[in-house]
Amino acid sequence: MQKILRSSIKLVIVLLITVLSLQAQAVVITSTVTGGQWYNSTTWVGGTIPGAGDDVIIVNGSAVSIGIDAECLSLTINTGNQSSSVTITAGADLTVHGDITINRTTLDGAF
C-alpha cells in the first residue's frame, strides 16, 4: 500500500512539474512602422495581436490606436527622430499589467 502511495505522489509531482513548464512565456510583439488599430493583425510584425501576457513594443514612427479595451504585460514606446504614439479613444481602456517605458532621444517636454 505504501509503495502505491509513493508511486502516486511521484506521478503527481512529475505531472505538476510538466504542467508548470508548459505554461506560456511572455512574447515580445512589435508594431509595424505604419501602425494601425491595436486589434488589427497588420499593425503587428508577424500578425500576432498582443494579449495580456505579451510585452509590446511600439517602434519609432508608429501610431497605434485603441478603440476597444486592450491589455498587455508591458508597453515600451520608442521615439527617436520620428514621433510614435498610442491613442486610446473615449470608452476604451488599455491595461498594462507591468512596466510602461517611453524611450526618447530628446526630452522636449512634450509627451
Side-chain angles (χ1 to χ4, degrees), residues 83-105:
S83 179
S84 302
S85 66
V86 175
T87 303
I88 304 168
T89 60
D93 290 314
L94 172 61
T95 302
V96 181
H97 298 282
D99 296 329
I100 298 173
T101 304
I102 301 173
N103 294 320
R104 295 180 54 93
T105 55

Side-chain angles (χ1 to χ4, degrees), residues 29-40:
I29 298 180
T30 305
S31 71
T32 60
V33 175
T34 55
Q37 291 291 325
W38 185 281
Y39 279 107
N40 187 334

Side-chain angles (χ1 to χ4, degrees), residues 8-30:
S8 296
I9 291 173
K10 287 179 185 178
L11 179 61
V12 168
I13 290 172
V14 168
L15 288 173
L16 182 61
I17 290 170
T18 302
V19 168
L20 291 175
S21 67
L22 293 176
Q23 286 187 354
Q25 299 293 321
V27 175
V28 175
I29 298 180
T30 305

Side-chain angles (χ1 to χ4, degrees), residues 23-99:
Q23 286 187 354
Q25 299 293 321
V27 175
V28 175
I29 298 180
T30 305
S31 71
T32 60
V33 175
T34 55
Q37 291 291 325
W38 185 281
Y39 279 107
N40 187 334
S41 62
T42 60
T43 302
W44 308 103
V45 174
T48 302
I49 298 168
D54 297 324
D55 296 314
V56 175
I57 298 174
I58 307 300
V59 298
N60 184 20
S62 182
V64 176
S65 299
I66 300 170
I68 59 175
D69 292 350
E71 58 184 323
C72 60
L73 181 61
S74 69
L75 177 65
T76 300
I77 302 172
N78 291 324
T79 62
N81 58 351
Q82 298 177 351
S83 179
S84 302
S85 66
V86 175
T87 303
I88 304 168
T89 60
D93 290 314
L94 172 61
T95 302
V96 181
H97 298 282
D99 296 329

